[in-house]
Amino acid sequence: MPPIPPSPTPRIVIYYQTQHHPDGTPCSILPIITQPNIAVTHVNLAAIHLNDPPGHITLNDHVPSDPRYITLWAELQVLQASGVKVLGMLGGAAKGSFTRLDLDEATFEEYYCPLRDLIRQRGLDGLDLDVEEPMTLAGIIRLIDRLKSDFGQDFIITLAPVAAALISDNPEHNLSGFNYEALEVMRGKQIAWYNTQFYCGWGDVSRTDGYDFMIARGYPAEKIVIGMVTNPGNGSGWVPFEMLQEVLITLKSRYPGFGGVMGWEYFNSLPGDRERPWEWSEFMTKNLRDGFPTATSAAANSGASASALQNKQNPFLFADQDPKAEKEEAPLPKQFAYYSDSNTEV
């Protein structure tokens, strides 16, 4: 198969799961296109779940056709008409969807076909596969192949691994079960990029080390979108904007094809919080897509060549350890909670 057409980088990706305010009124996503100086490229609608029996699909806690989502679906169409790509996010912290898609062929068809029909009905531009439960490599490949077969090469398929899964081969540092390095070798041409979770103990966006190590392992810079929480209430690992700005400047200078950023999630994004959540996108647009300093020589600015990065220590090993030595494993980060419409008080 030919590779999917590249998308402009750096991308600005927003996860949109909390779609209503506590009083039940819609939390509009439209300001990302109506407010000035914002260039969001993709919105990931979260979270689609495949439940029992087959065909019982929910968007968070309700069926997608629930009247509460009338405004949501209409606004997403406006985004698409304005050039923003809208993807569905499948899975996430609520387990079960990928377990059901990882069974025998007949069972796969029973659960997959209603998902396919939902994608068609809502005109989604792609699907973000957030596999946070054990799944086989063969199972994720079957799902990717089927999506490409049904929707064509322009259909966007992304995955959302924790950062540790692209840094370490230790299965305890990977929520998905399958090996992402093997997946990239076997189906990399069909995967647009990775929305990599650098938060909740799985990565650190206050430093470039994790991203550097991923590139040293062979992942293309244009396929690594660095993910962050947009508010300390959305999970641990929030980084102040001054520090974050320095990291983004460094990555953009060091890697001309830098894949971009993603934020979990929209409704309470700082600095505007719930009153002005679009300001996070404004900050990212200013720093990623306007007037970023361009390196005359990426290698000179970074002070690190590809060969030097190959020798860089895995950030998931302790600082004073030899990477080849057998040492005690770093502690597994604790689980964290996703917030949805039924849990918005953070």
Side-chain angles (χ1 to χ4, degrees):
M1 291 183 182
I4 60 171
S7 59
T9 56
R11 306 173 190 91
I12 300 175
V13 182
I14 292 176
Y15 278 85
Y16 182 38
Q17 180 172 44
T18 302
Q19 297 116 13
H20 295 85
H21 296 293
D23 63 2
T25 59
C27 175
S28 177
I29 191 72
L30 290 184
I32 68 168
I33 61 171
T34 60
Q35 293 294 321
N37 306 316
I38 295 176
V40 171
T41 58
H42 300 81
V43 169
N44 289 354
L45 175 65
I48 299 169
H49 301 133
L50 309 184
N51 310 289
D52 286 324
H56 177 38
I57 298 179
T58 52
L59 175 60
N60 297 322
D61 303 322
H62 306 274
V63 296
S65 60
D66 190 284
R68 69 187 288 115
Y69 295 133
I70 291 176
T71 299
L72 166 74
W73 293 120
E75 290 193 349
L76 293 180
Q77 287 184 322
V78 174
L79 292 189
Q80 290 174 310
S82 301
V84 178
K85 299 295 185 183
V86 175
L87 289 73
M89 187 203 99
L90 178 66
K95 297 174 173 58
S97 298
F98 293 102
T99 297
R100 297 177 176 101
L101 290 171
D102 201 21
L103 301 173
D104 60 87
E105 289 292 336
T107 306
F108 171 82
E109 291 294 326
E110 288 182 330
Y111 286 101
Y112 171 79
C113 289
L115 173 65
R116 175 203 62 197
D117 295 344
L118 174 64
I119 295 170
R120 285 176 175 166
Q121 179 187 9
R122 299 301 177 179
L124 298 177
D125 297 300
L127 198 63
D128 180 56
L129 307 176
D130 189 357
V131 188
E132 299 191 18
E133 58 186 306
M135 189 179 195
T136 64
L137 181 62
I140 192 68
I141 287 175
R142 177 176 63 181
L143 177 57
I144 291 171
D145 288 351
R146 186 59 182 275
L147 288 167
K148 286 296 184 181
S149 174
D150 286 341
F151 295 102
Q153 289 306 303
D154 289 340
F155 187 76
I156 303 168
I157 296 177
T158 61
L159 285 93
V162 294
L166 303 189
I167 295 172
S168 170
D169 290 324
N170 188 328
E172 291 188 348
H173 295 157
N174 182 354
L175 295 177
S176 307
F178 54 84
N179 183 285
Y180 278 90
E181 199 166 18
L183 179 63
E184 176 66 14
V185 170
M186 299 181 72
R187 288 297 184 274
K189 290 182 178 180
Q190 282 71 56
I191 298 169
W193 68 86
Y194 298 98
N195 292 304
T196 315
Q197 300 180 44
F198 280 82
Y199 47 85
C200 292
W202 299 107
D204 181 5
V205 79
S206 70
R207 305 162 58 189
T208 68
D209 298 42
Y211 198 97
D212 293 334
F213 199 79
M214 292 174 191
I215 305 307
R217 293 195 72 177
Y219 290 101
E222 62 269 19
K223 292 186 70 171
I224 305 297
V225 170
I226 191 165
M228 63 197 74
V229 288
T230 60
N231 186 306
N234 297 346
S236 64
W238 183 81
V239 173
F241 286 99
E242 296 80 4
M243 184 182 299
L244 180 61
Q245 185 177 48
E246 292 301 315
V247 169
L248 295 178
I249 289 173
T250 301
L251 291 175
K252 184 67 163 54
S253 299
R254 186 173 292 169
Y255 306 109
F258 174 55
V261 297
M262 73 85 163
W264 180 272
E265 60 170 310
Y266 172 70
F267 83 104
N268 63 349
S269 300
L270 295 178
D273 212 331
R274 296 173 188 245
E275 291 73 27
R276 300 174 63 86
W278 58 86
E279 290 184 353
W280 181 90
S281 304
E282 186 179 2
F283 173 88
M284 292 301 166
T285 300
K286 178 179 179 181
N287 286 281
L288 284 178
R289 301 182 74 87
D290 295 338
F292 231 94
T294 302
T296 55
S297 168
N301 278 351
S302 69
S305 65
S307 59
L309 288 175
Q310 291 287 351
N311 296 323
K312 199 171 181 114
Q313 183 169 299
N314 186 331
F316 275 81
L317 295 172
F318 293 110
D320 60 350
Q321 289 182 358
D322 179 348
K324 295 181 181 177
E326 232 180 271
K327 300 287 184 179
E328 180 185 358
E329 292 293 341
L332 189 67
K334 295 180 180 180
Q335 292 288 333
F336 64 97
Y338 281 95
Y339 297 98
S340 69
D341 287 339
S342 58
N343 181 19
T344 56
E345 294 300 323
V346 296

